[in-house]
Amino acid sequence: MAKFTLGKPEGEAGKAWPAIIIGLFVALGGVLFGYDTGTISGILEMEYWVDEMKTDPIGITTGQQSLIVSILSAGTFLGALAAAPIADMIGRRLGLIISTGLVFNLGVVLQTVSIEQDLFIAGRFFAGLGVGLVSALIPMYQSETAPKWIRGTIIGAYQLSITIGLFLAAIVNNGTQGRDDSGSYRIPVAIQFAWSLILVSGLIILPETPRYLIKQGKDEKAAIALGRLRRLDPHDPAIEEELVEVRANYRYEMSIGKASYKDCFRGTVRKRLITGCLLQALQQLSGVNFIFYYGTQYFKRAGFQDPFIIQVITNSVNVASTFPGLYLVEKMGRRGLLLFGAIGMAVSQFIVAIVGTVAGTSDLPAQRAAIAFVCIYIFFFAASWGPVAWVVTGELFPLKARAKCLSFTTASNWLFNWAIAYSTPYLVDPGDNNADLGSKVFFIWGSFCAIAIVFTYAMIYETKGLTLEQVDELYGIVGKAWRSQEFRPAVRWADIDDKEEGGRKRSLAEITADQERLRSVVSQSAGNEKV
Ligand code: BGC
C-alpha cells in the first residue's frame, strides 16, 4: 500500500522538529508579501482615501493610479537584487531582520502617516523594497536550514503564507472600506506592523544558517547553529559529518570558479540560473496575477456583482489548493508536480479562452462555466507552480553563488509580475490604443502554460530528497533533465582531494567513478577477509 505520510528517514541523527518549526515560522514572511501586494487594489477603491490623496478634482488620475500600483514592483525588483549583497555580507538572519524591521516598516510608517500622495508613494516604494528583500531571503534561509526530506514542504509553506496574506488583505479591506475616516486605509496599512513584529521577534532568537557560517569560515559557530537545529551537541559526530560535507563541497565549488557575479554565468551555474529565471518568469506568465489583479472585472461580467464575493472565491481556492501542493512536492517530486500543474493550467486556460471568446458577454451560463475553469486553473497553480517555483529556486544553486542567483531568479519573478500588471489593461480593454483582447487574453496565458510543459520536461531536474550539496553533484554529472530521476548521489565531497591530474582538474564524473572504484575495492577486500 502506498505510504501517505511524510516521515523522517531512518538513521538520521538528532531531531527534525526544531528545524521544521523554524522553517515554518520563517515562512510567515510570506504574509508580508501576499498582504502587501493584495491590499492596494482595495485601498484604491476607498472613497476617503481618494478624497484625501487626490490632486485633481476628478479623483486619482490613471497615470497616478499606475504609479501608485507599480512603484511597489519597482521596489520589490530592486529589493530582490539587493538581497544578494546583504545576505552575503551580514548573513541571512540579520538580512531578514533589517529588511523587515527597518526597510519594510519604514514603508509602512510612511504610508500610515501620509495625508498626501507623494509620501504614500514613497511609503509604497520602501515597503516594496522590504518585500523584495524578504522574498529572496526567506527561501534562502529555509533551504539552508531545512532537513532534506521535507525541504520542499517547508519552502512551500512560504507560498501558503503568501496566499493567506492575499486573503487577509481582501478581508481587512472589506472590513474598513466603508469607514468615513482615515482608519479606512490606515488600519489595513498599519496592520502590517503586526506581521513584521512577529517575524522580527522570532528571528532575534533563531540561529543563522550553518551553511552561511561555513561560507564565512566560522566553523565553530556553524556547528553550534546546526546543533540547535538538530537538538544535538555541536561536537556530535553526526553534526561534524554533515558540516564536513558542506565545507568540502564549498571548497570544491570555489576551486572550479570563484563567487563573483560573472561566475553565475559559467558552467552548470549558468544553466541553473537560466532554469530558475525562466521558471519564475513562466510562473508569472501563466496568468495568475491577471486573476488576482484584474479578475474582479472579469467575474463581474459573469454576473457576480459583489467584488468581495469574487475575492473570497479566488482567494479561498488559492489558499485551500496550496495544501495538496505541500504534500505532493515531496511525493511526486518537483519535476512531476510542475509537469502535472503545467498541463492542468494549460488546459484550463485554453478552455476559459475558448468558452469566453465563443460565448460572448451576454451568455451567462457559458461565462459561469468559464469562471469555474478559472477556479480550476487557480487550483492547479496553487498546488504546483505557486509553491514549487520557490522550492526549486531555493535549492538549485551552489552555496558560493546561492544568494546572487536566488536574487536574480526572484527579481525575474517581480519583473514579470510588474510587466503583466502594467500591460494587462492595454491588452484587454477596448479603446484606440488598446489591443481589446477581452477573453482572448487567456489564449496568451494558455500558450505560456503550454511552453511551461516543454520547459519543465527539458530543464527541470528532480531535486527531491537530495541535500543541497548533492544537487551540485546532480548538475555536475547528469547532462539531461529527463535523466535526473535516475540519479543516485555517490560522491563524498570530503574524500575529494585537491590534487590535479596531469595539470588538469578532474571532472565530477571522473571523481565519482574513482570513488566508486575505491569503494568496491574496499568492500571486496573486506569480503575476502571475511571468507
Ligand atoms: C506568486 C505571486 C502570486 C501568488 C498567488 C506567488 O507564488 O509569485 O505573484 O500573486 O503566488 O498565490
Side-chain angles (χ1 to χ4, degrees):
M1 212 175 70
K3 223 175 131 212
F4 286 108
T5 50
L6 300 175
K8 181 176 158 216
E10 267 170 40
E12 253 196 27
K15 304 259 180 287
W17 63 262
I20 295 177
I21 290 180
I22 288 174
L24 294 180
F25 173 79
V26 174
L28 255 184
V31 176
L32 247 65
F33 175 153
Y35 189 94
D36 203 47
T37 47
T39 193
I40 192 65
S41 63
I43 291 181
L44 287 176
E45 300 295 320
M46 291 176 184
E47 275 171 34
Y48 187 91
W49 180 85
V50 173
D51 277 346
E52 186 115 317
M53 303 283 164
K54 70 182 179 197
T55 55
D56 192 299
I58 57 151
I60 304 286
T61 65
T62 312
Q64 290 173 338
Q65 211 178 59
S66 126
L67 178 63
I68 292 169
V69 174
S70 61
I71 193 81
L72 183 100
S73 316
T76 50
F77 178 73
L78 293 177
L81 290 179
I86 292 183
D88 278 346
M89 267 183 301
I90 62 172
R92 285 51 167 151
R93 186 185 76 100
L94 205 54
L96 268 170
I97 293 180
I98 289 177
S99 312
T100 316
L102 289 183
V103 185
F104 178 75
N105 278 348
L106 171 66
V108 175
V109 171
L110 295 181
Q111 287 176 81
T112 311
V113 301
S114 68
I115 45 169
E116 42 87 36
Q117 246 185 69
D118 290 347
L119 201 59
F120 194 83
I121 292 173
R124 293 264 304 154
F125 175 78
F126 282 106
L129 203 60
V131 168
L133 283 161
V134 164
S135 64
L137 291 170
I138 288 180
M140 202 181 311
Y141 184 94
Q142 291 179 311
S143 67
E144 291 186 352
T145 49
K148 63 179 181 184
W149 56 274
I150 198 170
R151 190 176 58 232
T153 305
I154 290 179
I155 309 181
Y158 163 59
Q159 168 72 11
L160 180 66
S161 295
I162 297 176
T163 64
I164 293 174
L166 281 162
F167 189 74
L168 287 176
I171 304 277
V172 175
N173 277 345
N174 186 63
T176 66
Q177 63 176 351
R179 290 176 70 118
D180 193 25
D181 58 19
S182 65
S184 55
Y185 69 93
R186 285 194 165 135
I187 295 172
V189 171
I191 271 186
Q192 302 182 89
F193 281 125
W195 327 139
S196 67
L197 201 74
I198 299 172
L199 188 62
V200 170
S201 317
L203 280 164
I204 289 173
I205 51 171
L206 296 187
E208 178 51 90
T209 81
R211 286 178 169 89
Y212 171 73
L213 294 166
I214 289 284
K215 187 170 186 294
Q216 295 300 100
K218 297 178 180 163
D219 293 18
E220 263 299 307
K221 287 190 171 161
I224 296 170
L226 190 59
R228 281 184 67 192
L229 289 167
R230 303 268 184 275
R231 281 286 179 277
L232 288 173
D233 185 272
H235 301 291
D236 191 284
I239 297 283
E240 273 167 28
E241 199 181 316
E242 195 169 333
L243 289 181
V244 161
E245 279 299 279
V246 175
R247 195 181 309 118
N249 166 267
Y250 179 63
R251 287 210 187 117
Y252 173 80
E253 284 293 334
M254 289 300 282
S255 77
I256 55 172
K258 296 294 163 235
S260 67
Y261 274 102
K262 247 177 43 213
D263 288 286
C264 297
F265 298 92
R266 294 203 177 114
T268 71
V269 185
R270 179 179 57 198
K271 181 174 180 178
R272 295 187 247 182
L273 183 58
I274 295 172
T275 305
C277 288
L278 283 176
L279 177 63
Q280 288 287 20
L282 285 167
Q283 191 219 44
Q284 291 297 310
L285 290 166
S286 77
V288 64
N289 286 320
F290 170 78
I291 292 159
F292 285 113
Y293 298 162
Y294 297 99
T296 312
Q297 283 108 311
Y298 187 78
F299 276 73
K300 268 188 176 165
R301 264 194 280 142
F304 295 94
Q305 287 308 323
D306 184 349
F308 179 63
I309 297 289
I310 299 168
Q311 283 180 336
V312 169
I313 295 174
T314 49
N315 277 297
S316 307
V317 177
N318 197 27
V319 176
S321 313
T322 308
F323 287 97
L326 298 187
Y327 171 75
L328 291 172
V329 69
E330 301 297 1
K331 284 286 153 181
M332 287 174 81
R334 288 53 165 155
R335 193 176 148 80
L337 189 53
L338 284 175
L339 263 182
F340 164 78
I343 295 170
M345 293 194 305
V347 172
S348 329
Q349 295 284 40
F350 280 129
I351 293 180
V352 179
I354 294 166
V355 174
T357 310
V358 173
T361 47
S362 55
D363 185 349
L364 280 189
Q367 287 294 351
R368 289 195 174 156
I371 298 300
F373 277 95
V374 167
C375 291
I376 294 174
Y377 158 79
I378 298 179
F379 161 79
F380 279 110
F381 174 88
S384 62
W385 281 67
V388 182
W390 298 105
V391 172
V392 168
T393 48
E395 60 192 17
L396 201 52
F397 303 108
L399 177 56
K400 68 171 182 184
R402 184 167 302 133
K404 293 186 181 72
C405 292
L406 196 47
S407 85
F408 279 132
T409 58
T410 309
S412 158
N413 178 294
W414 287 116
L415 182 68
F416 283 89
N417 184 317
W418 168 80
I420 287 169
Y422 182 81
S423 64
T424 299
Y426 298 104
L427 287 173
V428 176
D429 293 348
D432 285 348
N433 296 320
N434 300 339
D436 191 12
L437 287 179
S439 288
K440 291 194 200 84
V441 75
F442 285 94
F443 281 114
I444 300 187
W445 313 135
S447 306
F448 279 114
C449 294
I451 294 175
I453 301 173
V454 180
F455 161 79
T456 306
Y457 182 80
M459 297 205 63
I460 295 293
Y461 280 61
E462 185 50 71
T463 41
K464 173 184 100 171
L466 302 177
T467 65
L468 298 181
E469 290 65 39
Q470 288 164 348
V471 173
D472 286 338
E473 183 189 345
L474 166 70
Y475 272 90
I477 286 182
V478 182
K480 304 275 182 262
W482 54 91
R483 288 270 155 79
S484 59
Q485 273 137 313
E486 296 156 23
F487 167 75
R488 297 287 168 270
V491 158
R492 266 183 50 90
W493 297 101
D495 292 345
I496 296 179
D497 53 35
D498 285 342
K499 282 194 304 284
E500 297 186 359
E501 246 172 39
R504 169 182 86 83
K505 255 214 126 60
R506 287 177 307 157
S507 73
L508 210 48
E510 289 168 319
I511 293 171
T512 317
D514 284 353
Q515 288 194 353
E516 267 176 2
R517 210 171 310 127
L518 202 68
R519 269 195 289 272
S520 78
V521 170
V522 171
S523 69
Q524 258 178 32
S525 56
N528 290 345
E529 269 167 29
K530 271 192 208 140
V531 172

